[in-house]
């Protein structure tokens, strides 16, 4: 979807800031000179960059831009998550690691009793997962791990 901001009584800088604060992923800026030249300035939030694109190609290129930016956000989030997640061998280590980031601990080591112990330390289970990514149907299976982190 698109929204036209034609509030000319508000400065361009203020309008740009307002849209950035709203989290708009792609902003298309059009002025009289841009229209005369047949181009638009496209500002991409993810890359914090602007580029000029031909007006004739703009509608076709925006979906690809959004796909690229979504892939970049996923890459950044995955990198951050993976950098903050470390394996824990026992409850004490899981509590320590969970206060600073995320800890992976075998559910068999944790279980409901261990979960209650971690909760006293302000660390809770975020999810159960399997190494292969399949749905956890049997929490007692040896390949099931819990991701634990600080409770807020």
């Amino acid at each position: 979807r698109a929204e036209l901001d034609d509030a000319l009584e508000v400065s361009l800088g203020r309008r740009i800031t307002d849209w950035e604060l709203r989290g708009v992923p792609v902003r298309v800026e059009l002025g009289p000179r841009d229209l005369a030249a047949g181009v638009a300035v496209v500002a991409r939030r993810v890359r914090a960059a602007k580029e000029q694109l031909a007006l004739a190609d703009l509608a076709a290129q925006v979906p690809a831009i959004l796909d690229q930016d979504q892939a970049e956000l996923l890459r950044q989030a995955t990198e951050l998550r993976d950098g903050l997640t470390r394996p824990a061998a026992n409850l004490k280590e899981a509590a320590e690691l969970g206060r600073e980031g995320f800890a992976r601990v075998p559910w068999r080591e944790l279980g409901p009793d261990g979960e209650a112990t971690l909760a006293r330390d302000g660390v809770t289970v975020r999810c159960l997962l399997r190494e292969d990514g399949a749905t956890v149907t049997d929490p007692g299976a040896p390949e099931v791990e819990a991701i634990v982190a600080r409770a807020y």
Side-chain angles (χ1 to χ4, degrees):
R1 73 180 177 223
E3 186 169 332
L4 173 64
D5 184 349
D6 60 354
L8 298 178
E9 67 279 359
V10 179
S11 72
L12 177 62
R14 177 74 255 169
R15 287 185 285 158
I16 288 172
T17 299
D18 288 345
W19 288 109
E20 286 178 356
L21 290 173
R22 291 180 192 175
V24 172
V26 177
R27 187 179 66 253
V28 179
E29 301 171 3
L30 285 170
R33 284 178 274 185
D34 299 319
L35 288 171
V39 296
V41 176
V42 177
R44 297 170 71 166
R45 181 182 169 101
V46 169
R47 290 179 168 68
K50 291 183 178 184
E51 58 189 302
Q52 279 193 341
L53 297 176
L55 284 175
D57 300 333
L58 188 61
Q61 289 185 2
V62 168
I65 288 171
L66 290 170
D67 288 344
Q68 291 167 5
D69 288 355
Q70 179 64 32
E72 176 60 17
L73 286 171
L74 177 60
R75 186 199 64 74
Q76 290 173 13
T78 302
E79 184 179 296
L80 178 64
R81 181 203 61 202
D82 291 349
L84 292 173
T85 305
R86 296 179 292 187
N90 54 49
L91 282 177
K92 182 179 178 189
E93 191 176 0
E96 290 170 8
L97 293 173
R99 281 191 287 272
E100 300 167 7
F102 300 97
R104 290 178 77 114
V105 61
W107 177 248
R108 286 185 150 182
E109 295 291 322
L110 189 61
D113 294 335
E115 190 173 6
T117 301
L118 286 178
R120 286 193 292 272
D121 290 330
V123 175
T124 59
V125 173
R126 297 286 166 232
C127 66
L128 296 179
L129 55 85
R130 291 170 39 125
E131 187 68 35
D132 61 6
T135 303
V136 174
T137 55
D138 176 14
E143 67 275 3
V144 175
E145 293 184 304
I147 302 293
V148 300
R150 183 176 62 200
Y152 293 95

